[in-house]
Amino acid sequence: MTILIPGSDWQRHGGWGPGNALFRLADEELRGNSTENCTRFLSWRPSGNKDRDRIAAAQTLRQMITDHPFAPGEKLNIIAHSHGGNVALAASHIGLARPIDILITLNKPTLLRDAYIPGKNIQNFYNISAARDWIQWAGSDKRLRVNFANDKSAVNHTIDTSASNIKPHAALIWDDKFREVWWEWFQNQQQARATSND
C-alpha cells in the first residue's frame, strides 16, 4: 500500500486523484507484489497549520495503516508533500502497526520538536526539496536559517526548479519534468541500496 499525504490545504489544489501522475507513480511503480489500486489518500483538514492538526492527522494515518489488510510481503510506502511529511513523521513517532518501507517527503518544512522526530520504524527515508522554496523555509522552525530543507534522518536531495513555470513548492508534484527528475534520482538511490545489500 502507498499512501499519499498532501501538505496543509494543498489537497484543495487537486491532482491527488487517480488521474494525477504522482498517483500513477505510486500505484504502478511502488506497487511491488501488491494488488492493483493499492494507493490511498489521507485527507486532513489543517486549520492555521497547527501542531494539533498534524498530530490528529498522524492518528488518522496510524488507524488507516492498522485497518489495511496487508498481504504477505506487501510493503507500506508513503509519499508526502510539505507538512504532510511532518504528519508521516509524527505517525512514525507515535508508533505504527508495521514499518514504513519507503517514506518520500517533498518540500517538507523541518520542525525540530519531539513530535516530528522520525521513528525507528522508517526503513528508507528520502527527503527531496526544490531549491529556493520560500514556503518550505517559512514553514520550518525559526531557528533554522541554514539547511532548513534537510532532515538529518533522511537521504536529502535538492533540485533546481527555476526553469519551471510552477512555483518551487509545487513544481515537484505538478511539473512533469521535475517530477521525473526526482523520481529518477529516487530509483537510482533504490538501485544503489539494493546493489550494496547484495
Side-chain angles (χ1 to χ4, degrees), residues 30-191:
L30 285 178
R31 183 169 69 216
N33 65 343
S34 303
T35 59
E36 289 187 37
N37 304 317
C38 60
T39 301
R40 304 287 179 264
F41 174 74
L42 178 72
S43 179
W44 64 294
R45 298 285 181 198
S47 57
N49 198 18
K50 304 290 185 189
D51 283 337
R52 69 173 181 262
D53 301 311
R54 289 186 285 267
I55 301 303
Q59 294 287 359
T60 303
L61 175 60
R62 181 183 189 191
Q63 193 61 50
M64 178 185 286
I65 292 166
T66 299
D67 292 345
H68 181 72
F70 283 89
E74 183 178 355
K75 295 184 181 295
L76 170 61
N77 307 305
I78 297 175
I79 302 176
H81 174 240
S82 193
H83 275 305
N86 288 313
V87 168
L89 291 182
S92 78
H93 185 65
I94 61 176
L96 300 173
R98 63 180 298 116
I100 300 170
D101 292 281
I102 296 171
L103 172 61
I104 300 172
T105 57
L106 304 170
N107 299 95
K108 178 185 70 65
T110 300
L111 301 177
L112 301 175
R113 299 183 280 290
D114 286 348
Y116 307 107
I117 296 172
K120 294 180 180 176
N121 52 3
I122 302 175
Q123 295 180 349
N124 301 288
F125 180 10
Y126 302 98
N127 182 54
I128 306 165
S129 301
R132 295 175 297 281
D133 180 359
W134 300 116
I135 295 175
Q136 182 182 17
W137 175 82
S140 296
D141 279 337
K142 298 280 188 270
R143 290 175 282 168
L144 292 168
R145 293 294 178 224
V146 179
N147 293 329
F148 65 89
N150 289 339
D151 190 304
K152 65 181 181 179
S153 301
V155 178
N156 295 287
H157 185 58
T158 301
I159 298 170
D160 183 354
T161 61
S162 58
S164 178
N165 292 326
I166 300 174
K167 291 182 180 179
H169 201 63
L172 297 181
I173 296 174
W174 286 284
D175 187 309
D176 293 341
K177 175 184 174 184
F178 291 104
R179 186 180 53 253
E180 289 170 11
V181 167
W182 70 257
W183 187 259
E184 182 178 350
W185 173 84
F186 161 71
Q187 288 179 313
N188 290 338
Q189 293 294 311
Q190 287 291 97
Q191 268 187 336

Side-chain angles (χ1 to χ4, degrees), residues 2-6 10-12 16-17 23 39-44 64:
T2 299
I3 301 171
L4 301 179
I5 310 175
W10 280 82
Q11 56 199 333
R12 64 187 170 84
W16 292 96
F23 193 103
T39 301
R40 304 287 179 264
F41 174 74
L42 178 72
S43 179
W44 64 294
M64 178 185 286

